[in-house]
């Protein structure tokens, strides 16, 4: 036996045929009650006839096919229409006639193919029924048949509207899911760009420097150690990024490990210095207890700017200034353009574009461009406290 508490769950899991059968049984039971005899639909004015065995069969033919109204809507409408025709031609005029608009609504809502052909065939069948009723001498005016037909068309139209609404909702959910997947792919690609580009650039620069240190074993060993440390940090950051795909990635341990705090900026600066880039680092103010995503965005701004400095202004004096306020973090990274290459970054521009997107999401301001005196400067104002 199914407990009362589990009835709603059982009902939702049940096949649609089982659920729709209940509607058919209720319609059948109500139509067979003596109080409702000859109280149903009367089309054509055929005189009332007492219920007999054929009446019960006609009522059953009208009601029970409602069980398949969603699975096989055309079959349901065909059987219900046959029962309705017998009902009207014999003069039973039972309450079961209400099953016809329900069947039409179901066809309009659930029929996927040959909709126009189905509508045309059943319209022809209705005309034949109207002719047969007229030949019985019922005296029903033409306007009565037309009004009843329009009522049936309305039922079909309501079903068609429900179908179009359901299709539109399904398309909307599909678009939302696709947009969500695209945004997630973009976010992961942006993280990969930040992590891989920075670490690999540092390793390439350090490896290039090691080529000229063969005559100084101590400095060569130190440089190779730095390359190794940089590679390990790259692996660690990539592992944290891939943890996003784990179901438990939202735990505090993983979230803390994945999110670089502003306090790690000094480590980032030291790594850049070991790669041969002179960096001056200044940090003002005290970070608030809760900065939301601002810490991570500030870290990425400095990381990307230092990566560009290594790639496009190697050897140029670079300045990193981070200021903490109560409600925002301000970052400024600049190069003086006196290095081996121009300070203006080239490449695809994905890094700076990604930074602008990150800052914009939090409602901040971002700018990157040449300085008047030469070099390049990146500035970001990042509101703190947003969980985005």
């Amino acid at each position: 036996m199914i407990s009362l508490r589990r009835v709603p769950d059982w009902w939702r899991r049940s096949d649609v045929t089982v659920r729709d059968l209940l509607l058919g049984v209720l319609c059948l039971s109500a139509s067979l009650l003596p109080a409702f005899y000859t109280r149903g639909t009367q089309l054509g004015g055929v005189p009332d006839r007492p219920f007999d065995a054929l009446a019960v069969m006609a009522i059953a033919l009208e009601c029970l096919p409602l069980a398949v109204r969603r699975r096989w809507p055309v079959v349901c409408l065909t059987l219900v229409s046959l029962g309705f025709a017998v009902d009207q031609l014999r003069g039973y005029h039972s309450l079961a006639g209400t099953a016809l608009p329900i069947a039409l609504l179901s066809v309009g809502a659930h029929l996927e193919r040959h909709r126009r052909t189905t509508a045309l065939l059943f319209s022809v069948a209705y005309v034949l029924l109207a002719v047969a009723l007229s030949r019985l001498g019922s005296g029903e005016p033409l306007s009565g048949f037309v009004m009843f037909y329009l009522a049936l068309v309305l039922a079909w139209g309501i079903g068609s509207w429900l179908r179009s609404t359901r299709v539109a909702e399904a398309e909307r959910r599909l678009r939302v899911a696709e947009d969500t997947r695209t945004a997630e792919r973009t976010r992961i690609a942006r993280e990969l760009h930040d992590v891989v580009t920075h670490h690999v650039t540092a390793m390439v620069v350090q490896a290039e420097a090691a080529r000229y240190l063969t005559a100084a074993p101590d400095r060569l060993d130190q440089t190779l150690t730095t390359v190794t440390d940089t590679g390990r940090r790259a692996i660690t950051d990539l592992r944290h990024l891939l943890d996003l795909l784990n179901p438990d990635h939202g735990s505090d341990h993983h979230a803390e490990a994945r999110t670089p705090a502003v306090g790690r900026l000094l480590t980032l600066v030291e790594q850049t210095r070991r790669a041969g880039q002179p960096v001056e680092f200044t940090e003002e103010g005290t970070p608030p207890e809760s900065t939301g995503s601002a810490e991570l965005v500030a870290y990425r701004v400095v990381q990307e700017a230092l990566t560009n400095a290594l790639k496009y202004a190697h050897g140029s004096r670079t300045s990193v200034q981070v200021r903490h306020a109560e409600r925002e973090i301000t970052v400024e990274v600049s190069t003086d353009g006196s290095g081996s290459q121009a300070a203006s970054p080239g490449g695809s521009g994905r890094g700076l574009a990604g930074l602008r997107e990150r800052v914009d999401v939090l409602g901040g301001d971002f700018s990157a461009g040449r300085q008047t005196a030469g070099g390049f400067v990146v500035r970001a104002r990042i509101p703190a406290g947003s969980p985005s």
Side-chain angles (χ1 to χ4, degrees):
M1 296 293 292
I2 301 176
S3 63
L4 293 179
R5 293 181 180 179
R6 298 180 61 185
V7 167
D9 292 336
W10 171 84
W11 180 258
R12 285 191 295 268
R13 291 195 303 267
S14 298
D15 188 83
V16 292
T17 303
V18 176
R19 286 180 280 171
D20 290 336
L21 178 61
L22 179 60
L23 175 62
V25 171
L26 290 176
C27 183
L28 175 65
S29 302
S31 300
L32 293 178
L33 293 176
F36 293 110
Y37 284 1
T38 67
R39 299 287 184 179
T41 304
Q42 184 174 4
L43 178 65
V46 175
D48 293 337
R49 182 191 298 269
F51 278 24
D52 51 18
L54 183 59
V56 175
M57 293 178 59
I59 292 173
L61 193 60
E62 288 179 271
C63 298
L64 295 182
L66 293 179
V68 296
R69 67 184 185 89
R70 282 186 275 188
R71 177 158 293 180
W72 300 304
V74 175
V75 174
C76 171
L77 180 58
T78 301
L79 297 177
V80 171
S81 299
L82 289 175
F84 180 81
V86 174
D87 187 312
Q88 298 304 313
L89 291 172
R90 293 284 293 174
Y92 299 128
H93 304 145
S94 68
L95 189 65
T98 56
L100 182 60
I102 296 176
L104 279 166
L105 187 148
S106 301
V107 170
H110 301 289
L111 183 62
E112 299 294 337
R113 297 184 299 174
H114 309 300
R115 295 173 60 85
R116 293 182 180 179
T117 302
T118 302
L120 178 61
L121 291 177
F122 280 94
S123 296
V124 172
Y126 178 79
V127 171
L128 295 178
L129 175 62
V131 171
L133 290 172
S134 298
R135 287 185 176 182
L136 290 177
S138 60
E140 179 79 27
L142 178 62
S143 60
F145 290 109
V146 172
M147 290 300 297
F148 189 77
Y149 179 77
L150 293 178
L152 297 181
V153 170
L154 177 63
W156 177 291
I158 293 174
S160 298
W161 175 78
L162 292 175
R163 177 178 178 273
S164 62
T165 302
R166 185 175 65 249
V167 170
E169 177 64 18
E171 292 177 351
R172 186 192 68 81
R173 292 185 179 184
L174 184 62
R175 287 195 303 270
V176 170
E178 184 62 30
D179 292 343
T180 302
R181 285 193 294 269
T182 301
E184 185 67 12
R185 286 195 296 267
T186 302
R187 186 173 68 88
I188 293 176
R190 191 164 55 218
E191 292 284 346
L192 282 172
H193 173 274
D194 292 341
V195 172
V196 174
T197 302
H198 175 77
H199 291 301
V200 171
T201 298
M203 293 172 67
V204 169
V205 173
Q206 292 158 0
E208 284 288 334
R211 179 181 301 175
Y212 303 100
L213 298 175
T214 55
D218 293 340
R219 294 180 60 190
L220 177 61
D221 181 70
Q222 181 182 2
T223 301
L224 293 178
T225 300
T226 302
V227 173
T228 302
D229 292 341
T230 303
R232 289 188 178 125
R233 278 192 293 271
I235 293 173
T236 300
D237 286 348
L238 286 174
R239 183 180 296 115
H240 293 159
L241 179 59
L242 293 176
D243 281 344
L244 288 169
L245 303 178
N246 291 338
D248 60 345
H249 75 270
S251 63
D252 293 340
H253 172 73
H254 288 286
E256 181 180 357
R258 280 197 310 273
T259 306
V262 173
R264 284 185 55 190
L265 286 176
L266 185 57
T267 303
L268 185 62
V269 169
E270 288 295 333
Q271 177 186 356
T272 308
R273 287 171 178 167
R274 287 196 296 269
Q277 189 76 3
V279 181
E280 297 178 2
F281 177 62
T282 304
E283 187 173 8
E284 300 177 1
T286 303
E289 294 183 0
S290 176
T291 60
S293 299
E295 287 190 48
L296 176 59
V297 174
Y299 182 92
R300 294 305 188 200
V301 169
V302 175
Q303 185 182 54
E304 178 66 21
L306 290 179
T307 300
N308 286 336
L310 276 174
K311 292 169 65 176
Y312 307 111
H314 187 215
S316 297
R317 187 180 63 85
T318 304
S319 172
V320 177
Q321 297 180 0
V322 179
R323 299 182 182 90
H324 300 281
E326 183 179 355
R327 296 185 178 180
E328 66 181 23
I329 300 174
T330 304
V331 177
E332 180 177 311
V333 182
S334 61
T335 57
D336 62 9
S338 61
S340 59
Q341 300 184 41
S344 178
S348 65
R350 292 193 186 95
L352 295 178
L355 292 181
R356 182 171 284 105
E357 291 177 6
R358 289 175 184 272
V359 176
D360 288 345
V361 165
L362 299 183
D365 301 317
F366 178 85
S367 64
R370 291 180 181 272
Q371 300 187 87
T372 304
F376 201 79
V377 61
V378 175
R379 296 187 180 94
R381 183 190 62 81
I382 309 162
S386 173
S388 300

